Amino acid sequence: TLQYDANSKLLDVPDASEDIEMNLTQINKLTQDLVGETNPNFTPQPRDESTAMIKKLFENGLKQLQQQKMAEALKSVNLAIEMAQRKRASWEAFAVQLQELQFMMKNRVDLCLVQGKFMDALQDLDFLQNTGLTTSDVFIRKTDSLMKLKQYEQARAEVERGLSLDPTNAKLRVLHIENTRRLAEYNG
Amino acid sequence: NQALKRRFQAILLRKEVFSKQW
Amino acid sequence: QSYDYDEASETWPFFILAVLCVVLVPLTAMQLWELVSGGKSDQTLNDQASILGEMSEKYASREILEFRAKSVAKKSKWLAKRNLFIIAGWTVVAYLIQYIGSSEGIQDAATLLFDPYALLDISASSTDREVRSAYRKLSVKFHPDKLSKDLSSEQRSVLEEQYVLITKAYKSLTDEITRENYLKYGHPDGPQATSHGIALPKFLVDSSASTLVILGYVALLGIVLPYFVSRWWSRTQSVTKKGIHVKSASYFSNRLFNFKPSQVVTLDLIVNWLSHAEEFKLMFPELSVETFETLLHDQINRKHSGNLENAKLRIVAKSNVLLFGLLDIATTFRNLEISTMTIDTLKAIVQATSISPYSQLLQLPNVNPESLTEGSVDDIRTLGKLFTYEDAKIGKILGIDDSTKLQETLSVASSIPHLKLIRAEFKVPGESVVTPQSTPHISLKVLVRSAKHKFFPPNMIPDEMCLDRDDFESMKDPFASTLEQPRLPQTFAPYFPGKRSGCWCALVVLQKDGKVIQTPMLIDRLSFENLNKDFDKRTVKNLEEEFKPEEWVIGNIKIPFSQPAPEEKGDFFFRVIVKSTEYFGPDLDFTLSMAVRD
């Protein structure tokens, strides 16, 4: 049974299954975005306001990176990403949102790696791969993270896949050899 | 866009699961 | 309208005989075949690495051994019934044959058959000349004018009849028209009187017994037959090709179809899916899905399930076929993570060991889990690494004090088969390269080795040892050579309800998109001879001197490739994963490129 709250304009189904719950969240988010939209003639064009805010936070992070303040830089980049998640409406062009997020995530990955947060980096890299980014630099970083986490079998799978998409990549080849050595040691 | 958001939000949960596994 | 009944009991014996033979001959043949081949397969099981089998029996709990004994007894009971039927059936056949032989009525009917060769007293393959000479001789004897005058009129008429028959016999072998008649109707005079009737004695049809007969037919055609047919039909309809219930298959398909890629595939997920199987519900309608899940986890964690212990064993035994069914569906959906986790789940259930970084060691008998994390400074996770230490140190690492137990554990650990890849290529039979649109298959040469054996690089095995036979037979059927290898021996699985030998599952993945491209190939034949070798990494000092490649047996694995080679020339990359369903550790995972050239 579908329930509608006229005040908050939100739908609800008590005891909903996971799939229905997901659908509801989507509809409600869309409703909230629409309610909050002031411009009656809105388009998929990304809102310049949001872009400016996100950019400011991100550039803050880059500045801190240049000053070698890694922890703060990571925080700023995280804020920028969060801002994008909150401010961007569901109808703003997907291609733009995706690229924006991927770009910021790539920087987050490098910041995590530099600070030894390998599991965080790995999850971000997984996200990048799942959302279609299969460039060699993703494979390089993922292999590196997996090796640091001692997951040598998975690292081998990653580096081999990276090499099959880019057989001449020198860095991948070096990682492959290094990983093979570590795997041999792991197996006695 | 919503699917992208969901996938992004799953990162934290995935981290927990993998940490436990490894 | 009016039928002749089998008053003289001439035809119904043949009818019963025919029906019995139709059933008995194939049944007996099947039974004999099973006896012969069953003996043979046991033989090969005994030849190969019996250590694992012995240890498995030794470490199995009383309940498991009882469970195994029960299922063997059930099987043999049914066989005994079948054997009884066969013996009883052949006894009736023997009686019928003897009855037919001694029945006068039937003999009389048989003598009415016209046999020209018997009448002329010659063999059936005589030539025309022999026929003519036989006739001349006999006609001299039997001609009415030549007969002796002393014979009585009775004797005379008998001899005259005989003469007529002999003449007819001669004519039917020589004269065109008569011969045609003989060939067409079995008698030179043309069509004889034939009778049609019912092969049943009259009393069954005409009198009061007839109502019984009718009731019998009604019961047979109206009740028994539809019952068996509908039962067979619903059984066939309810089971998929892979042997799992269609409801289970559709549940798995549904889970896979709705699978979100952000979800991490874990053992718990697969066990959860497994516990929704229809087979479990049918076996134990009083138990819930959550109970099944708990029982499966009990098995994996080696927990006793109290009064549900027997239920647990039955469910675990059933989960084998369910997991293979799920694997098949997962590969059809091209999902690699679920496919590999399904196989890992099967390992976990077979070995009663959870999936963890230490699974390779925890699957061994007598291991103390706490000492693994505390027992040593180095973090040892693999069998290979374990065998770099001395036996005594291994005992400390695994937490085993008793020396006999340690020896048994070490013998199991060194008998667990590991696959080492020697050669891998895409092959097209009869060609030296893979050409566009050809049908290649994947040819692997592997070494089944123990974790104890010293590593050696694959190029130390010379190319000559890795060649396939190059004859016509092997080109016609390249997979036949794998069948020459012995079947896998019994698995060390003291916690699994049944005896098993398992297999390796070969998955092929397209590197471009990271997805599975075909259903798994099951490998159940490999030689384990190498495991008996004592090429201990702790004692071998000089690899080049001590390694003798010809003493090692090369395993042959051929994986069919489900699609033709691409049209364009170039290099195409595939990932081949060969996973064992039985042990943690012995898996292969590598990338293979297909070089498509002119």
Side-chain angles (χ1 to χ4, degrees):
Chain A
T1 45
L2 210 56
Q3 288 173 355
Y4 177 61
D5 181 346
N7 284 329
S8 61
K9 308 275 189 289
L10 297 177
L11 288 170
D12 188 27
V13 172
D15 294 330
S17 71
E18 231 183 277
D19 294 330
I20 296 181
E21 196 64 60
M22 197 172 80
N23 271 323
L24 278 177
T25 317
Q26 283 194 178
I27 296 171
N28 285 335
K29 177 78 171 70
L30 191 56
T31 312
Q32 283 175 319
D33 287 347
L34 283 168
V35 163
E37 178 59 58
T38 48
N39 176 8
N41 300 317
F42 63 86
T43 66
Q45 176 79 5
R47 280 177 75 201
D48 294 323
E49 235 186 276
S50 314
T51 314
M53 279 198 279
I54 297 166
K55 211 162 165 195
K56 189 156 147 251
L57 284 165
F58 186 70
E59 276 168 3
N60 237 0
L62 288 180
K63 235 189 291 172
Q64 284 160 327
L65 169 63
Q66 278 170 349
Q67 295 166 356
Q68 301 292 321
K69 294 189 189 150
M70 298 304 179
E72 283 93 350
L74 185 56
K75 263 201 217 122
S76 303
V77 171
N78 272 332
L79 279 172
I81 292 173
E82 244 173 85
M83 180 67 70
Q85 291 284 296
R86 263 192 300 128
K87 282 289 172 182
R88 291 280 182 220
S90 315
W91 57 78
E92 292 182 46
F94 173 69
V96 171
Q97 288 203 45
L98 179 64
Q99 260 195 346
E100 186 180 65
L101 191 55
Q102 283 181 336
F103 180 72
M104 290 196 283
M105 295 284 269
K106 285 210 310 210
N107 280 280
R108 188 163 95 165
V109 165
D110 285 335
L111 283 168
C112 286
L113 284 175
V114 141
Q115 294 180 54
K117 296 180 193 248
F118 301 117
M119 184 55 96
D120 289 344
L122 182 65
Q123 292 315 314
D124 285 354
L125 288 161
D126 250 348
F127 171 85
L128 289 172
Q129 267 185 345
N130 278 168
T131 52
L133 206 61
T134 50
T135 49
S136 297
D137 49 0
V138 176
F139 282 105
I140 289 168
R141 284 162 180 72
K142 201 161 171 213
T143 307
D144 186 36
S145 310
L146 285 164
M147 282 170 70
K148 295 273 187 355
L149 290 164
K150 297 215 184 119
Q151 300 298 315
Y152 302 115
E153 312 259 3
Q154 287 205 29
R156 177 181 55 186
E158 281 308 316
V159 78
E160 285 190 359
R161 181 147 182 246
L163 277 170
S164 52
L165 297 173
D166 184 6
T168 53
N169 190 304
K171 189 78 171 95
L172 282 172
R173 284 203 193 159
V174 163
L175 279 172
H176 191 207
I177 294 169
E178 174 64 23
N179 188 55
T180 309
R181 196 183 63 79
R182 300 235 192 130
L183 199 48
E185 233 246 61
Y186 180 73
N187 280 310
Chain B
N1 282 318
Q2 302 240 25
L4 185 66
K5 210 160 277 174
R6 276 196 298 273
R7 176 60 186 89
F8 178 80
Q9 280 158 1
I11 286 179
L12 207 61
L13 181 60
R14 286 172 67 92
K15 201 168 95 165
E16 275 175 35
V17 176
F18 280 115
S19 300
K20 201 170 113 183
Q21 247 184 27
W22 297 347
Chain C
Q1 262 92 356
S2 73
Y3 281 103
D4 287 329
Y5 293 104
D6 193 19
E7 305 289 344
S9 292
E10 285 170 24
T11 14
W12 69 260
F14 289 100
F15 172 63
I16 308 284
L17 187 65
V19 168
L20 274 175
C21 283
V22 158
V23 173
L24 280 174
V25 170
L27 199 63
T28 318
M30 228 166 55
Q31 192 72 338
L32 287 172
W33 169 251
E34 263 178 35
L35 273 173
V36 167
S37 67
K40 236 201 288 182
S41 71
D42 274 342
Q43 181 59 34
T44 41
L45 268 176
N46 287 334
D47 286 343
Q48 289 247 75
S50 52
I51 301 174
L52 294 167
E54 274 172 40
M55 289 290 138
S56 193
E57 295 299 300
K58 185 152 183 240
Y59 279 91
S61 71
R62 183 182 53 92
E63 277 132 337
I64 297 239
L65 291 172
E66 273 174 19
F67 188 86
R68 287 185 193 170
K70 240 199 294 177
S71 55
V72 167
K74 230 198 303 178
K75 224 180 168 191
S76 64
K77 226 199 314 177
W78 182 72
L79 280 175
K81 274 202 211 135
R82 205 207 244 177
N83 281 329
L84 231 79
F85 177 72
I86 290 179
I87 293 170
W90 282 114
T91 317
V92 175
V93 165
Y95 167 72
L96 281 172
I97 291 177
Q98 186 252 357
Y99 179 82
I100 289 170
S102 62
S103 157
E104 275 189 29
I106 297 179
Q107 292 303 334
D108 282 343
T111 52
L112 288 176
L113 294 169
F114 188 80
D115 188 0
Y117 294 104
L119 286 167
L120 292 172
D121 204 17
I122 48 178
S123 78
S125 56
S126 313
T127 61
D128 276 352
R129 276 188 70 200
E130 285 166 359
V131 169
R132 248 175 277 152
S133 67
Y135 174 64
R136 237 176 272 134
K137 274 195 221 121
L138 286 169
S139 66
V140 163
K141 234 185 25 184
F142 286 95
H143 200 280
D145 304 333
K146 301 280 173 49
L147 291 172
S148 136
K149 309 278 197 260
D150 309 329
L151 295 166
S152 67
S153 59
E154 269 172 44
Q155 288 168 315
R156 243 196 129 75
S157 54
V158 165
L159 290 171
E160 273 170 8
E161 260 179 58
Q162 191 76 353
Y163 178 66
V164 168
L165 280 173
I166 290 171
T167 319
K168 276 200 194 144
Y170 174 64
K171 280 223 186 96
S172 62
L173 288 176
T174 48
D175 179 51
E176 277 309 308
I177 305 167
T178 328
R179 187 199 245 158
E180 221 184 290
N181 272 336
Y182 170 63
L183 288 173
K184 247 205 259 183
Y185 304 109
H187 200 282
D189 296 339
Q192 298 294 289
T194 49
S195 64
H196 298 270
I198 300 178
L200 289 172
K202 187 167 186 177
F203 78 89
L204 270 184
V205 186
D206 251 5
S207 62
S208 57
S210 68
T211 32
L212 275 175
V213 174
I214 292 190
L215 280 173
Y217 269 113
V218 163
L220 194 69
L221 291 171
I223 301 171
V224 172
L225 199 65
Y227 169 72
F228 278 109
V229 170
S230 75
R231 199 175 78 157
W232 167 81
W233 179 248
S234 68
R235 280 237 185 99
T236 325
Q237 288 294 85
S238 69
V239 173
T240 67
K241 247 196 298 183
K242 285 284 162 183
I244 64 176
H245 199 281
V246 289
K247 285 215 182 115
S248 305
S250 93
Y251 178 80
F252 292 152
S253 305
N254 187 288
R255 295 290 91 217
L256 270 153
F257 187 73
N258 290 312
F259 183 72
K260 290 191 261 309
S262 62
Q263 218 177 341
V264 183
V265 181
T266 57
L267 173 70
D268 294 341
L269 180 72
I270 306 289
V271 168
N272 178 281
W273 288 4
L274 203 57
S275 42
H276 284 85
E278 189 68 16
E279 281 88 338
F280 294 166
K281 289 195 198 114
L282 292 173
M283 284 199 291
F284 298 103
E286 71 278 9
L287 298 178
S288 68
V289 166
E290 289 78 26
T291 316
F292 295 134
E293 200 172 347
T294 314
L295 289 176
L296 286 169
H297 280 293
D298 281 352
Q299 165 71 6
I300 293 173
N301 297 315
R302 300 187 188 178
K303 241 177 76 175
H304 196 280
S305 305
N307 46 1
L308 287 175
E309 181 70 8
N310 197 51
K312 179 183 88 174
L313 292 177
R314 281 186 64 195
I315 286 173
V316 167
K318 199 64 178 161
S319 52
N320 187 63
V321 70
L322 283 166
L323 284 169
F324 274 105
L326 174 56
L327 176 63
D328 198 64
I329 294 171
T331 53
T332 317
F333 275 88
R334 304 193 66 204
N335 192 316
L336 178 62
E337 288 173 321
I338 296 199
S339 305
T340 49
M341 187 50 81
T342 304
I343 302 175
D344 284 338
T345 307
L346 184 52
K347 282 194 232 234
I349 289 179
V350 167
Q351 293 295 335
T353 305
S354 188
I355 298 178
S356 77
Y358 299 98
S359 299
Q360 283 196 33
L361 303 179
L362 290 169
Q363 68 188 339
L364 299 173
N366 302 319
V367 170
N368 183 350
E370 280 104 43
S371 84
L372 275 182
T373 40
E374 309 155 9
S376 165
V377 177
D378 320 311
D379 189 18
I380 300 153
R381 300 182 177 187
T382 60
L383 288 171
K385 188 82 176 161
L386 189 70
F387 273 109
T388 55
Y389 296 93
E390 293 302 319
D391 285 359
K393 185 77 163 67
I394 294 179
K396 272 226 195 71
I397 296 168
L398 299 177
I400 305 172
D401 297 320
D402 188 298
S403 64
T404 343
K405 287 214 173 103
L406 180 62
Q407 281 313 309
E408 287 179 348
T409 303
L410 287 174
S411 70
V412 169
S414 59
S415 304
I416 290 179
H418 287 250
L419 293 184
K420 180 162 176 70
L421 188 67
I422 307 289
R423 303 278 193 277
E425 58 174 340
F426 277 96
K427 243 174 135 163
V428 177
E431 308 263 354
S432 57
V433 289
V434 178
T435 51
Q437 298 275 297
S438 59
T439 17
H441 62 265
I442 298 174
S443 170
L444 303 178
K445 295 281 179 271
V446 298
L447 210 68
V448 176
R449 56 180 280 277
S450 158
K452 193 174 65 168
H453 291 159
K454 186 159 178 67
F455 262 145
F456 47 85
N459 51 27
M460 286 188 88
I461 304 273
D463 284 336
E464 300 87 55
M465 286 184 77
C466 303
L467 289 175
D468 280 323
R469 275 205 318 258
D470 214 2
D471 53 17
F472 184 65
E473 284 301 320
S474 61
M475 277 204 270
K476 245 199 321 185
D477 182 11
F479 302 96
S481 54
T482 56
L483 296 175
E484 289 165 17
Q485 297 170 120
R487 281 197 196 275
L488 298 176
Q490 187 183 347
T491 308
F492 174 78
Y495 293 94
F496 193 78
K499 282 197 201 169
R500 55 184 295 128
S501 43
C503 62
W504 265 274
C505 298
L507 299 169
V508 183
V509 178
L510 183 66
Q511 281 289 39
K512 202 160 79 161
D513 58 6
K515 293 194 199 283
V516 184
I517 60 168
Q518 58 189 40
T519 48
M521 153 96 186
L522 304 182
I523 299 154
D524 56 1
R525 281 177 184 277
L526 272 178
S527 168
F528 277 28
E529 239 185 85
N530 296 336
L531 294 173
N532 300 324
K533 301 183 87 51
D534 185 40
F535 199 64
D536 199 324
K537 59 172 71 154
R538 299 168 289 190
T539 55
V540 169
K541 298 291 173 232
N542 191 330
L543 190 58
E544 275 81 35
E545 278 178 22
E546 298 181 49
F547 178 67
K548 295 189 178 44
E550 56 282 357
E551 288 176 3
W552 296 76
V553 177
I554 305 285
N556 194 0
I557 295 175
K558 290 210 192 278
I559 306 169
F561 198 66
S562 61
Q563 316 156 354
E567 274 180 35
E568 324 81 51
K569 285 186 290 223
D571 289 322
F572 301 91
F573 292 90
F574 297 90
R575 178 177 170 192
V576 179
I577 304 175
V578 183
K579 284 183 87 71
S580 166
T581 54
E582 311 297 293
Y583 304 105
F584 288 98
D587 301 337
L588 279 183
D589 185 351
F590 58 94
T591 302
L592 185 59
S593 82
M594 183 197 283
V596 181
R597 308 272 184 268
D598 272 329

